[in-house]
């Protein structure tokens, strides 16, 4: 797995965790806000690495 694929997988997972935190603790909870910040950082890192829509789709299918 390339670094680009790893970053896409991390971004996908962080996004899922963000949604789960919002559902569990409420959208305005501290936990959800922290999860959103982590998801944002993961997405920015993946974008900086040149991840494409295909990379994210592959990550969603395999992780």
């Amino acid at each position: 797995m390339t670094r680009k694929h790893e970053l896409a997988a991390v971004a996908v997972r962080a996004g899922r965790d963000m949604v789960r935190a919002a559902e569990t603790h409420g959208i305005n909870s501290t936990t959800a806000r922290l999860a959103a910040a982590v998801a944002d950082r993961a997405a920015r890192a993946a974008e900086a690495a040149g991840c494409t829509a295909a990379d994210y789709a592959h990550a969603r299918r395999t992780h």
Side-chain angles (χ1 to χ4, degrees):
M1 183 182 291
T2 66
R3 176 168 165 70
K4 191 166 81 165
H5 289 125
E6 288 176 1
L7 289 170
V10 169
V12 166
R13 179 61 188 205
R16 289 177 181 161
D17 289 346
M18 177 187 64
V19 170
R20 187 175 305 111
E23 290 175 341
T24 303
H25 302 285
I27 193 87
N28 292 317
S29 69
T30 301
T31 302
R33 288 181 184 176
L34 290 172
V38 170
D40 181 59
R41 287 175 39 196
R44 287 177 189 265
E47 289 174 15
C51 288
T52 64
D55 296 323
Y56 295 118
H58 180 264
R60 282 191 296 276
R61 285 192 310 272
T62 59
H63 290 81

